[in-house]
Amino acid sequence: ASGALPVECHEDAVKACLCKTFGPPSSLVVEEIADPVAGPGEVVVRVKACALNFFDTLIIRGKYQYKPEMPFSPSAEFAGVVDQVGSGVEGVSPGDRVMGYMRWGAAREKVVVAAGDLVSLPDDISFEVAAGLTVTYGTTLHAYRDRAGLKPGETVAVLGASGGVGQAAVEIAAIMGAKVIACASSEEKLAFARSLGADMTVDYSVDPLKETLKELTGGKGVDVVYDPVGGELSEQAIRATAWEGRFLVIGFAAGDIPKIPLNIVMLKGCDIRGVFWGAALDRDPEGHRRNMKELLSWVSEGKLKPHIHGVYNLAETATALEEIAARRVQGKVIVTP
């Protein structure tokens, strides 16, 4: 494939996509690594699929809030089969289907994780689908349920509605009974959002975001704003919130962290609520497990049907990351080691 990373394959080798120096996706390499061994309380998982997210394009350039020790692998979420368990591990056995989250390091054939970081994966859900559930869908359910207290019948505006996290935000809001206004920068992206369950759409490359959101809600404004974009759109969106609305700070894909005039918050009686899912996972692991169980249940029942943008092999990791960085992705990007 174009942009594929070089790799020499040997029988029974354990391969990994490695970042050895901060730089663009083309600086990544695929090399053999030592076969991992599970220590006390740890589990080795043979990775069947892992997912890439926007933050992976930042972490390999040294522009993310975490700067891992070199060399490291991108990808924070994975699904696979338990290969071995360390001493003291209970409830997990070799051969079990599992999924998990590890901040970075999953783009390799095998990973070592703490047993408590794994979630059991039902047989009826594919590894490719499961690999992309933890970060974007986990973040979104936490945002709506734990931070926004989203109620059926409320209106949600989703910015960046066609990307990985935006897709999740549209789908989950619809499942929770909200009215969804998908906001994106092209008609193609909005058509994709409508296919995911969006009730209304805004092309903010053409129409003013604040005024259009107000118009679509009959002047009331939106109850919840889900903002993974940041930049100049944030203030427009918060000005379009309803009385006692909730503005969810998810991330800053636009690259600029906005400075919001606090008089808007006072005059609207609205809340700005931070969503730091990674920290919440550490502070409330049982809450995370409940949310993941809910997501898996929705997938099994057919309520949630995550869209996969593309499936790449390990040597194509750079190509996959370039697609994400260029904003050409609709849905999840999966790598199969």
Side-chain angles (χ1 to χ4, degrees):
S2 175
L5 301 172
V7 57
E8 292 185 7
C9 299
H10 299 110
E11 189 176 355
D12 298 325
V14 178
K15 296 186 290 294
C17 176
L18 299 177
C19 178
K20 291 187 164 184
T21 180
F22 289 130
S26 59
S27 66
L28 298 172
V29 297
V30 175
E31 294 182 355
E32 296 176 7
I33 60 172
D35 200 354
V37 177
E42 293 180 336
V43 175
V44 172
V45 177
R46 181 173 292 278
V47 178
K48 296 295 186 179
C50 62
L52 297 171
N53 294 279
F54 180 76
F55 62 77
D56 286 304
T57 70
L58 302 178
I59 199 168
I60 64 171
R61 294 177 182 267
K63 295 183 177 181
Y64 195 55
Q65 56 194 344
Y66 301 117
K67 290 182 172 57
E69 182 179 344
M70 301 283 186
F72 67 92
S73 297
S75 179
E77 52 186 339
F78 64 91
V81 177
V82 174
D83 191 65
Q84 59 175 275
V85 299
S87 61
V89 173
E90 298 180 356
V92 181
S93 303
D96 287 354
R97 303 174 87 248
V98 294
M99 57 190 290
Y101 168 76
M102 54 189 297
R103 282 207 176 97
W104 61 81
R108 51 183 63 187
E109 289 185 322
K110 290 183 181 180
V111 295
V112 180
V113 295
D117 291 339
L118 296 174
V119 174
S120 179
L121 178 61
D123 291 338
D124 62 341
I125 299 177
S126 72
F127 292 115
E128 290 81 7
V129 168
L133 276 179
T134 303
V135 174
T136 55
Y137 290 93
T139 295
T140 301
L141 185 54
H142 166 65
Y144 284 151
R145 174 176 287 167
D146 306 329
R147 301 298 293 134
L150 181 63
K151 304 175 185 64
E154 289 193 311
T155 302
V156 176
V158 178
L159 309 189
S162 71
V165 71
Q167 169 197 343
V170 170
E171 291 176 294
I172 293 180
I175 291 172
M176 294 179 73
K179 296 178 181 178
V180 184
I181 304 176
C183 309
S185 60
S186 73
E187 177 52 39
E188 179 187 6
K189 293 177 179 179
L190 294 176
F192 176 61
R194 285 192 290 271
S195 76
L196 300 173
D199 300 287
M200 296 169 278
T201 57
V202 178
D203 183 344
Y204 46 62
S205 71
V206 176
D207 300 313
L209 184 60
K210 172 193 167 184
E211 289 79 5
T212 309
L213 288 176
K214 284 280 200 176
E215 181 182 337
L216 290 175
T217 55
K220 173 181 178 289
V222 297
D223 298 298
V224 175
V225 174
Y226 185 99
D227 182 13
V229 179
E232 63 180 13
L233 293 175
S234 296
E235 183 173 335
Q236 296 180 52
I238 201 168
R239 287 183 181 275
T241 55
W243 176 254
E244 295 187 343
R246 288 89 77 202
F247 180 93
L248 299 174
V249 182
I250 309 296
F252 312 102
D256 296 325
I257 299 176
K259 295 176 174 60
I260 304 297
L262 290 180
N263 64 311
I264 304 173
V265 180
M266 179 188 72
L267 294 173
K268 287 183 166 292
C270 64
D271 295 344
I272 297 176
R273 301 186 182 180
V275 180
F276 191 1
W277 173 79
L281 187 153
D282 293 335
R283 293 169 180 268
D284 184 16
E286 287 308 310
H288 167 66
R289 287 182 170 278
R290 284 194 300 272
N291 284 345
M292 293 310 301
K293 185 176 180 180
E294 181 83 89
L295 291 171
L296 290 168
S297 175
W298 286 343
V299 173
S300 292
E301 294 167 10
K303 293 180 180 179
L304 181 61
K305 300 176 182 179
H307 178 79
I308 295 176
H309 172 81
V311 179
Y312 301 78
N313 62 46
L314 196 64
E316 297 172 314
T317 302
T319 301
L321 287 169
E322 286 164 358
E323 287 286 292
I324 295 173
R327 305 289 201 277
R328 291 192 290 263
V329 168
Q330 292 184 347
K332 294 298 298 188
V333 171
I334 304 298
V335 172
T336 53

